[in-house]
């Protein structure tokens, strides 16, 4: 299919009168049906209460001795950025100091500001760059902020709205990548030129440090300000999975000789490399998924003698790495359950020990201050137990409980089990089931299957008051699938479904659905599927390939038109994942599963709810618009809902999130409950 053959191209024009009228009409029809359901209003109110709850865990990052938190509730719709001390944070009701009130700022400036994060000047953290988004998109405005005031810096560093990449070199100098004019952005819309920008000079006077090739994904610069180990680096991101790293020494860029598909970072006197493919060097082969370390200076001088910090097995993979002052903390996935390994460097060697932590569910580690402290935060969570936040210290297994999320739903009637389904090629695919226990177990009922299967993203057990209140307490069973394309078993699990092998991810997901039906968990009419972004592509493919297996589909901020995805917004950056539609060989396999091109008139499909956001500047809303328009034109019964704000998250504040989730679960309850009988 050629681009000019597409009758729905006009829906790629985001805010034309014609496109807006189409969206408004679809929104009105969807809201009229779902908001009329008697479950919608109380469910929306309950979800809003969960999101606004003052009992949620206020997660913090520690900078310059302060604990910083961004918080939304009923009184702070857009949010408040605040800080406190660690001693105060230990209390049940800490005394917070407001640093920036986003509601007040939005009102004063008449802007729909959404918080987009902070870039810190370390190690003292007296200055930062505040990132603000209009409506929740990836494009941000950048403003310098003084934490000693606190307040914005008059005549400080500022950048207009763009998909900028900025970081501090020192108090008066930045690495900056932004829209410098024609040719300065990659085909993906990201900066490909890195410049050094001095305080008090116009952006036009910034000097070029590095320029990536026009076909590269992006380029960026960053400074490691670890005391005594200060180094500057430039990263050339060739595509999503390949990159070059350069050490900037004065005006020279020295290439770090790592494999292109490996990631690397400096940790004081060490260089740490994570492999995505086998690497044979100096007669030694290091396996895919391994983590290696060597002396930084020795590596630059030509040595290739590594210590192996982690070696994967068929059931284990590296899930995360965090550094404290004197240790490296590895979060390991073992059959989709986490454990923690601590590595300490003693007498020139890395010493390993297992950290005694809860052995079920998901664990998350973040250092308080990697330059000056061995303290770190540990989060512990699973499907039925509210998340708990602990303070720990490397070298010890002692855990100090800091915060615990309240129970937002009654978990007593439910149990969690892990199963495997056999995919079409014989691969065993694990999945979790959260279902009624005891006498209610074994009876089929409304079941929601969630998946992602891409970009080496792992789906792990999590606690969600939203899922509990909106689905489990309404009689539903929840299923989380760990299909290929994800990272649950390391790079091999991801690469098994890469590019021309994408169908394997869809086959795995379908196999889980078939296994649920075979085990009597749900009938096809009771089985719904949900996915967002790449997961939207997943459920879109499942919709077109096995419409008989499912009773409802929720397709969120989806990628669906695989012929034009690389021409829309950030789409070109994903060709390493999916392939190039302009290459005939790639298009041959993309065409076989592209949901937009495979919906057919006369075919019976389960009912679909497509959701997206006008302000999504990552995955273009036209993906959802166009397939909904095509299916409606073919006579299919679909629902469509587009939030005007929210970016790729789909919602910009708690009220919008509650409304979106209430619409979604009301749809599922209607389709998989009484309508599935």
């Amino acid at each position: 299919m050629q681009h000019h053959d597409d009758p729905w191209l006009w829906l790629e024009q985001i805010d034309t009168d014609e496109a807006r009228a189409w969206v408004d009409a679809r929104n009105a029809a969807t809201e009229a049906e779902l908001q009329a359901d008697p479950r919608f209003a109380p469910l929306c109110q309950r979800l809003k209460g969960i999101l606004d709850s003052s009992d949620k865990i206020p997660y913090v990052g520690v900078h310059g001795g302060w604990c910083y938190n961004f918080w939304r509730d009923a009184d702070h719709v857009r949010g408040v950025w605040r800080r406190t001390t660690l001693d105060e944070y230990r209390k049940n009701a800490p005394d917070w100091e407001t640093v920036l009130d986003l509601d007040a700022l939005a009102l004063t400036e008449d802007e729909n500001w959404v918080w987009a994060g902070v870039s810190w000047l370390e190690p003292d953290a007296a200055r930062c760059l505040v990132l603000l988004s209009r409506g929740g998109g990836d494009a941000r405005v950048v403003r310098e902020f003084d934490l000693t005031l606190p307040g914005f810096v008059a005549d400080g560093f500022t950048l207009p709205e763009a998909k900028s990449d900025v970081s501090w070199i020192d108090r008066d100098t930045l690495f900056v990548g932004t829209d410098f004019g024609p040719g300065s952005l990659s085909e993906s819309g990201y900066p490909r030129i890195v410049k050094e920008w001095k305080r008090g000079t116009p952006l036009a006077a910034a000097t070029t440090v590095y320029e990536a090739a026009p076909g590269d994904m992006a380029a960026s610069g960053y400074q490691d300000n670890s005391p005594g180990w200060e180094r500057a680096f430039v990263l050339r991101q060739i595509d999503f999975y390949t990159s070059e790293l350069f050490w900037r020494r004065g005006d020279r860029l020295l290439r770090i000789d790592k494999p292109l598909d490996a990631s690397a970072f400096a940790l004081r006197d060490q260089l740490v490399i994570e492999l995505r493919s086998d690497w044979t060097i100096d007669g030694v082969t290091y396996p895919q998924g391994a983590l290696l370390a060597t002396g930084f200076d020795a590596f630059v001088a030509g040595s290739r003698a590594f210590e192996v910090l982690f070696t994967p097995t068929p059931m284990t993979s590296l899930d995360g790495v965090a550094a404290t002052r004197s240790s490296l903390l590895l979060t390991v996935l073992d059959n989709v359950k986490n454990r923690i390994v601590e590595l300490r460097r003693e007498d020139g060697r890395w010493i390993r020990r297992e950290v005694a932590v809860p052995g079920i569910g998901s664990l998350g580690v973040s250092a308080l201050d990697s330059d000056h402290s061995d303290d770190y935060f540990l989060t512990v969570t699973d499907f039925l137990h509210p998340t708990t936040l602990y303070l720990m210290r490397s070298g010890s297994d002692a855990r100090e409980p800091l915060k615990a999320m309240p129970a937002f739903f009654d978990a007593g009637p439910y149990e969690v089990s892990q199963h495997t389904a056999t995919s079409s090629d014989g691969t065993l695919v694990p999945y979790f089931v959260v279902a009624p226990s005891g006498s209610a177990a074994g009876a089929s009922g409304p079941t929601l299957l969630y998946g992602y299967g891409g970009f080496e993203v792992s789906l792990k057990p999590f606690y969600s008051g939203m899922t509990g209140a909106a689905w489990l307490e309404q009689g539903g069973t929840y299923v989380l699938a760990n299909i290929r394309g994800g990272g649950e078993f390391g790079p091999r699990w991801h690469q098994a479904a890469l590019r021309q092998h994408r169908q394997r991810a869809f086959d795995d997901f379908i196999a889980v659905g078939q296994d649920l039906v075979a085990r009597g968990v749900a009938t096809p009419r009771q089985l719904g599927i949900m996915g967002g972004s790449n997961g939207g592509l997943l459920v879109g493919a499942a919709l077109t390939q096995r419409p008989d297996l499912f009773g409802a589909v929720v397709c969120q901020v989806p990628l669906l038109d695989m012929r034009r995805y690389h021409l829309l917004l950030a789409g070109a950056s994903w060709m390493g994942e999916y392939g190039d539609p302009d290459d005939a060989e790639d298009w041959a396999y993309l065409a076989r599963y592209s949901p937009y091109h495979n919906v057919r008139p006369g075919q019976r499909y389960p009912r679909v709810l497509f959701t997206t956001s006008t302000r999504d500047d990552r995955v273009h809303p036209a993906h959802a618009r166009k397939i909904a328009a095509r299916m409606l034109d073919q006579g299919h019964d679909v629902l469509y809902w587009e939030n005007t704000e929210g970016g790729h998250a789909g919602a910009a504040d708690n009220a919008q999130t509650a409304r979106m989730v209430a619409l979604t679960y009301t749809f599922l309850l209607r389709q998989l409950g009484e309508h599935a009988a």
Side-chain angles (χ1 to χ4, degrees):
M1 174 175 290
Q2 300 300 312
H3 299 166
H4 62 264
D5 293 331
D6 189 339
W8 305 107
L9 279 178
W10 58 273
L11 283 170
E12 295 181 9
Q13 305 303 309
I14 292 178
D15 275 324
T16 61
D17 290 343
E18 187 179 17
R20 192 73 253 166
W22 184 90
V23 169
D24 289 344
R26 302 286 80 72
N27 280 0
T30 297
E31 291 169 346
E33 175 181 331
L34 298 180
Q35 292 182 8
D37 189 291
R39 289 168 289 201
F40 173 79
L43 187 56
C44 190
Q45 184 177 9
R46 173 113 184 259
L47 296 176
K48 178 70 161 50
I50 291 172
L51 290 167
D52 285 341
S53 171
S54 60
D55 294 327
K56 295 177 302 182
I57 296 177
Y59 293 103
V60 297
V62 179
H63 302 276
W66 289 92
C67 297
Y68 286 89
N69 164 258
F70 186 76
W71 183 259
R72 288 193 185 110
D73 58 25
D75 297 323
H76 305 95
V77 176
R78 297 190 178 275
V80 59
W81 189 34
R82 57 188 189 172
R83 66 185 177 186
T84 192
T85 64
L86 182 59
D87 285 341
E88 274 292 319
Y89 186 66
R90 285 183 163 100
K91 299 178 181 178
N92 289 332
D95 182 16
W96 294 97
E97 174 192 355
T98 296
V99 178
L100 179 64
D101 186 328
L102 210 60
D103 294 272
L105 183 69
L107 181 64
T108 299
E109 299 184 349
D110 193 25
E111 292 278 10
N112 59 338
W113 289 131
V114 175
W115 183 253
V118 173
S119 176
W120 290 95
L121 173 59
E122 303 287 9
D124 63 355
R127 292 283 177 100
C128 68
L129 300 170
V130 169
L131 313 178
L132 302 171
S133 164
R134 289 185 174 92
D138 287 350
R140 291 87 57 92
V141 168
V142 179
R143 296 182 184 175
E144 185 177 0
F145 198 91
D146 187 338
L147 279 309
T148 63
L149 297 175
F152 290 110
V153 178
D155 300 321
F157 288 113
T158 62
L159 287 173
E161 185 177 53
K163 290 186 178 181
S164 301
D165 189 291
V166 289
S167 63
W168 296 90
I169 297 175
D170 56 43
R171 187 181 178 91
D172 296 314
T173 319
L174 299 181
F175 279 127
V176 58
T178 190
D179 186 351
F180 295 111
S184 65
L185 300 180
S186 70
E187 294 173 0
S188 305
Y190 297 113
R192 69 176 190 86
I193 299 174
V194 181
K195 296 191 177 188
E196 182 179 277
W197 186 16
K198 292 288 187 181
R199 184 181 299 280
T201 65
L203 181 62
T207 58
T208 298
V209 174
Y210 180 77
E211 183 171 341
D216 289 346
M217 177 179 163
S220 58
Y222 64 93
Q223 175 81 17
D224 180 354
N225 277 322
S226 299
W229 305 103
E230 295 85 355
R231 301 184 187 97
F233 294 93
V234 170
L235 180 68
R236 174 198 177 199
Q237 196 68 44
I238 302 170
D239 61 25
F240 222 89
Y241 303 109
T242 61
S243 64
E244 288 186 314
L245 182 65
F246 301 91
W247 176 24
R248 188 188 187 203
R249 303 185 69 182
D251 294 330
R252 296 177 55 230
L253 293 179
L254 180 65
R255 183 179 179 272
I256 301 297
D257 186 25
K258 68 173 185 62
L260 287 179
D261 66 348
S263 59
F265 65 92
L267 179 65
R268 290 178 281 279
D269 67 328
Q270 296 284 290
L271 179 69
V272 181
I273 300 176
E274 184 176 357
L275 300 180
R276 299 191 71 254
S277 300
D278 291 351
W279 187 25
T280 300
I281 190 163
D282 287 352
V284 180
T285 297
Y286 300 98
Q288 176 186 54
L291 188 71
L292 314 177
T294 188
F296 186 95
D297 291 339
F299 183 88
V300 170
S303 170
R304 296 298 180 264
F306 294 100
E307 289 184 74
V308 180
L309 305 185
F310 173 80
T311 302
T313 70
M315 299 302 289
T316 63
S317 65
L318 187 60
D319 193 35
V321 179
T324 71
R325 178 183 57 192
S326 60
S327 69
L328 201 59
L329 298 161
L330 310 185
T331 307
V332 177
L333 261 183
D334 191 340
N335 196 22
V336 205
K337 302 178 184 69
N338 282 134
R339 52 188 175 85
I340 306 296
V341 174
E342 178 185 296
L343 298 164
R344 296 174 68 88
R345 193 156 176 79
E346 298 178 5
D347 299 324
R349 304 289 296 174
W350 289 95
I351 307 300
R352 170 194 177 97
R353 78 176 188 93
E354 293 276 340
V355 181
V357 291
I360 59 172
S362 301
L363 306 173
V365 171
S366 62
L368 267 70
D369 184 340
S370 60
D371 291 325
H372 302 103
S373 170
D374 274 322
D375 291 340
Y376 63 93
F377 293 119
L378 173 73
T379 56
V380 180
T381 189
D382 62 38
F383 290 112
L384 299 180
H385 297 88
T387 305
T388 302
L389 176 67
Y390 296 95
L391 182 64
M392 296 188 69
R393 178 167 294 174
S394 62
S396 170
D397 292 333
R399 297 194 304 274
E400 176 189 350
L402 291 176
K403 306 289 177 186
M405 186 183 293
F408 285 117
F409 66 96
D410 180 6
Y414 311 104
E415 63 182 7
V416 178
S417 56
Q418 189 179 25
H419 306 268
T420 57
T422 303
S423 195
S424 58
D425 63 358
T427 299
L428 296 180
V429 181
Y431 65 94
F432 292 97
V433 177
V434 188
S437 58
S439 60
S444 70
T447 299
L448 177 60
L449 168 60
Y450 187 89
Y452 187 77
F455 295 93
E456 208 171 332
V457 172
S458 303
L459 297 187
K460 302 182 294 182
F462 64 97
Y463 183 84
S464 169
M466 308 274 279
T467 302
W471 187 244
L472 295 177
E473 286 191 347
Q474 309 302 317
T477 291
Y478 185 83
V479 181
L480 189 71
N482 302 118
I483 64 178
R484 282 174 289 183
E488 288 87 346
F489 299 106
R492 68 173 181 87
W493 196 246
H494 168 239
Q495 293 170 18
L498 204 59
R499 297 174 65 96
Q500 71 269 27
H501 304 302
R502 199 69 186 181
Q503 184 60 41
R504 292 172 178 167
F506 311 145
D507 290 344
D508 290 359
F509 194 65
I510 290 168
V512 174
Q514 292 175 152
D515 199 59
L516 292 168
V517 172
R519 292 196 305 107
V521 177
T523 66
R525 291 289 302 276
Q526 294 171 320
L527 180 58
I529 53 177
M530 180 191 292
S533 193
N534 173 78
L537 171 62
L538 169 70
V539 299
L543 163 75
T544 57
Q545 295 180 18
R546 285 299 307 273
D548 59 306
L549 186 57
F550 309 109
V553 180
V554 176
C555 190
Q556 303 162 312
V557 289
L559 184 72
L560 297 167
D561 179 356
M562 301 308 290
R563 184 64 186 88
R564 287 180 55 78
Y565 84 88
H566 64 314
L567 305 176
L568 300 173
L569 299 174
S573 66
W574 312 321
M575 288 196 288
E577 181 81 10
Y578 303 119
D580 181 357
D582 290 333
D583 180 285
E585 291 186 7
D586 288 5
W587 175 238
Y589 65 76
L590 288 164
R592 286 194 289 271
Y593 73 75
S594 177
Y596 180 61
H597 298 93
N598 283 283
V599 289
R600 303 281 185 257
Q603 172 68 57
R604 181 189 176 277
Y605 293 111
R607 205 171 189 212
V608 190
L609 169 62
F610 296 102
T611 69
T612 186
S613 164
T614 309
R615 289 290 298 174
D616 189 345
D617 56 358
R618 190 181 311 172
V619 178
H620 200 295
H623 284 280
R625 291 178 175 185
K626 289 165 62 179
I627 197 171
R630 172 164 284 179
M631 293 184 74
L632 288 166
D633 188 57
Q634 293 175 351
H636 303 299
D637 182 14
V638 304
L639 293 177
Y640 179 91
W641 189 75
E642 179 175 318
N643 193 29
T644 55
E645 294 186 320
H648 197 49
D653 57 40
N654 290 349
Q656 292 179 16
T657 300
R659 184 179 178 218
M660 178 176 67
V661 175
L663 287 170
T664 298
Y665 281 103
T666 300
F667 167 77
L668 289 168
L669 291 169
R670 287 169 61 81
Q671 298 304 127
L672 303 179
E674 62 268 25
H675 290 187

